[in-house]
Amino acid sequence: MLRVVLLSILMALPAAAQDRAGVERQFQAWLEQTIWPRASREGVSRGTFDAAFDGVGLQWELPDLRPPGFPPPAETRQTQAEFGNPGKYFNRGSIDGATSVGRQMARTHAGTLAAVERATGVPGHIILAIWGRESGYGRVDIPHDAFRVLGTKGFMSTRADYFTDELVALLQIAEAGHAPEDAMRSSWAGALGQPQFMPSSFLNYAADGSGDGRADIWRSEADTIASIGTYLARHGWQPGRDWGFEVAVPESVSCTLEGPDQGRAIRDWAAMGITRVGGKAFPQNELPGEGFLLMPAGRNGPAFIVTPNFYTLKDYNMSDLYALFVGHVGDRIAYGMGDFEGRWGNVGGLMRSDVAAMQRALQEQGHDVGGADGLAGFKTRRSIGRWQEASGRPATCFPEPGMVAALR
């Protein structure tokens, strides 16, 4: 009986769901009918195109895929830092490794870092911290075939249009001969080289730091440094300003004041009772500048006043924790700073669907949570805090397990 039921289920599925080979054939047709015409219009030769996809099939194990004819994947528990305890992002090994090697690189490449800082206004220690986070200063293995990754994601990911554009940009890089032979390796998302640029970012921001007339982000450390500095400068880095400061936030200042749309002069935050940790004063040149409250774990972790440069770092990777890691490691490299004084609480462990359920409930109450996407961004954090305050609860501004039921 069970066998009959299983057979009936299989017969009810689309043919492609029973046959990956059928999806592979659709992929090859898509390359020929969609990608080749676009690439050709961008000046890619047939020889380059054929060489790029010779023997290339779909990479089925990549995340966020929606194969045609297959049922949606079952929900899985989130393990990324944004959905768990934020403190895990700042593990001892990652922090210490990026710092110690970064200090060595600061000495080795002092001349290049100084030249790039003069040209772009971006401090060398910030460039080093990004380089360390992205590729371990070029020491981390980059495992995937870039054409296979971007081909797969362009054909059947949840952001197919974006990855299709990146695939065409990758073909343009191959046509121009920018990459060394056999260097077209990428992350699971299609990022290239030591700075982990997406192909379009390479075309727009890759820079020659060595003076040889090329921008080689695969083999040249000088070009890697110059490219990261150029990227940040063109995304609005403000020379002369820091990225931010760890602070103590008194109970009289609500965590609902967090966010890049609630900025005020740093002197005004100080007047509200917010102080730098360790008894340090805010630099005089920063006091009139705009600052923003950042509490990535709400009341359950360290707090910060960040500057517009923090959000420039987020242009490199759209994660509060990524930008915070870069700023923190940069400070450790340049100034010998220690760990955050605030401690990360034992929070997190939620499924993304739990956070999304909270967001939908808050939306129904009129809160702007930034979309019910299961991501606990600043709009969601402060909306939780506003709901807590309105319902007579202490405001923590961070998702907690009991909130799902309480919000219903």
Side-chain angles (χ1 to χ4, degrees):
M1 180 65 180
L2 178 60
R3 186 174 181 179
V4 172
V5 171
L6 289 174
L7 181 61
S8 65
I9 291 173
L10 286 172
M11 292 177 65
L13 290 173
Q18 304 171 50
D19 181 14
R20 283 191 176 188
V23 180
E24 293 279 1
R25 289 191 291 272
Q26 293 179 57
F27 171 59
Q28 296 299 326
W30 174 78
L31 289 175
E32 189 63 36
Q33 297 167 13
T34 300
I35 301 304
W36 164 240
R38 281 193 56 181
S40 179
R41 289 194 294 271
E42 297 295 337
V44 176
S45 69
R46 186 72 208 195
T48 296
F49 181 86
D50 289 343
F53 296 109
D54 182 24
V56 170
L58 292 167
Q59 190 162 342
W60 290 84
E61 69 273 17
L62 294 175
D64 301 321
L65 300 183
R66 297 293 184 270
F70 278 67
E75 180 180 61
T76 56
R77 179 168 291 275
Q78 299 295 318
T79 58
Q80 293 174 314
E82 268 70 21
F83 312 126
N85 187 329
K88 293 180 180 179
Y89 201 93
F90 301 87
N91 67 81
R92 185 83 274 148
S94 296
I95 290 288
D96 288 350
T99 300
S100 62
V101 180
R103 288 171 180 162
Q104 298 171 24
M105 291 296 186
R107 294 188 293 269
T108 301
H109 301 288
T112 299
L113 289 162
V116 171
E117 182 168 354
R118 287 193 298 272
T120 65
V122 181
H125 60 274
I126 293 294
I127 294 172
L128 288 169
I130 288 179
W131 187 14
R133 183 65 190 177
E134 293 295 337
S135 67
Y137 304 98
R139 301 178 182 189
V140 172
D141 180 53
I142 300 175
H144 302 292
D145 181 310
F147 291 106
R148 188 180 182 206
V149 167
L150 289 174
T152 298
K153 295 181 82 70
F155 177 62
M156 60 180 190
S157 82
T158 56
R159 300 172 63 201
D161 290 345
Y162 168 75
F163 287 108
T164 296
D165 291 344
E166 294 297 338
L167 179 59
V168 173
L170 183 66
L171 287 163
Q172 292 175 265
I173 292 171
E175 179 66 29
H178 291 298
E181 187 176 357
D182 299 326
M184 284 301 198
R185 312 297 295 174
S186 77
S187 69
W188 65 263
L192 308 171
Q194 296 189 46
Q196 285 291 274
F197 274 1
M198 293 303 290
S200 62
S201 292
F202 176 89
L203 294 177
N204 289 323
Y205 308 113
D208 174 19
S210 64
D212 65 356
R214 295 170 53 86
D216 183 352
I217 63 171
W218 296 271
R219 295 177 300 189
S220 171
E221 295 170 330
D223 291 0
T224 295
I225 291 168
S227 296
I228 294 171
T230 298
Y231 183 100
L232 294 177
R234 293 188 185 172
H235 280 80
W237 184 272
Q238 296 183 9
R241 294 209 66 185
D242 211 317
W243 67 269
F245 312 92
E246 188 184 358
V247 298
V249 180
E251 292 296 330
S252 59
V253 177
S254 174
C255 55
T256 65
L257 294 177
E258 182 185 9
D261 54 352
Q262 298 192 100
R264 61 187 72 196
I266 290 179
R267 64 160 59 98
D268 294 338
W269 289 113
M272 296 169 67
I274 291 179
T275 57
R276 285 187 71 185
V277 298
K280 301 174 185 176
F282 291 107
Q284 285 295 316
N285 70 297
E286 293 282 6
L287 290 174
E290 191 171 28
F292 312 90
L293 181 62
L294 173 73
M295 302 181 75
R299 288 281 182 185
N300 304 299
F304 307 87
I305 293 295
V306 298
T307 77
N309 285 339
F310 177 85
Y311 295 100
T312 300
L313 294 177
K314 283 190 67 175
D315 284 334
Y316 208 99
N317 182 313
M318 287 300 295
S319 162
D320 286 342
L321 299 182
Y322 174 91
L324 191 56
F325 181 98
V326 166
H328 181 53
V329 168
D331 285 348
R332 295 171 77 99
I333 291 171
Y335 312 121
M337 293 180 66
D339 295 339
F340 295 137
E341 292 197 11
R343 293 292 176 259
W344 302 100
N346 184 23
V347 294
L350 294 172
M351 294 182 71
R352 184 166 172 174
S353 59
D354 293 330
V355 178
M358 296 180 202
Q359 290 170 321
R360 287 190 293 271
L362 288 165
Q363 284 178 323
E364 290 173 2
Q365 297 181 28
H367 292 279
D368 177 10
V369 297
D373 56 5
L375 301 172
F378 74 91
K379 287 187 176 182
T380 294
R381 295 195 294 265
R382 71 188 184 194
S383 292
I384 288 172
R386 288 167 180 167
W387 168 76
Q388 289 171 320
E389 290 177 345
S391 56
R393 294 171 168 84
T396 63
C397 295
F398 201 74
E400 299 167 5
M403 290 178 185
V404 178
L407 278 162
R408 288 175 180 164

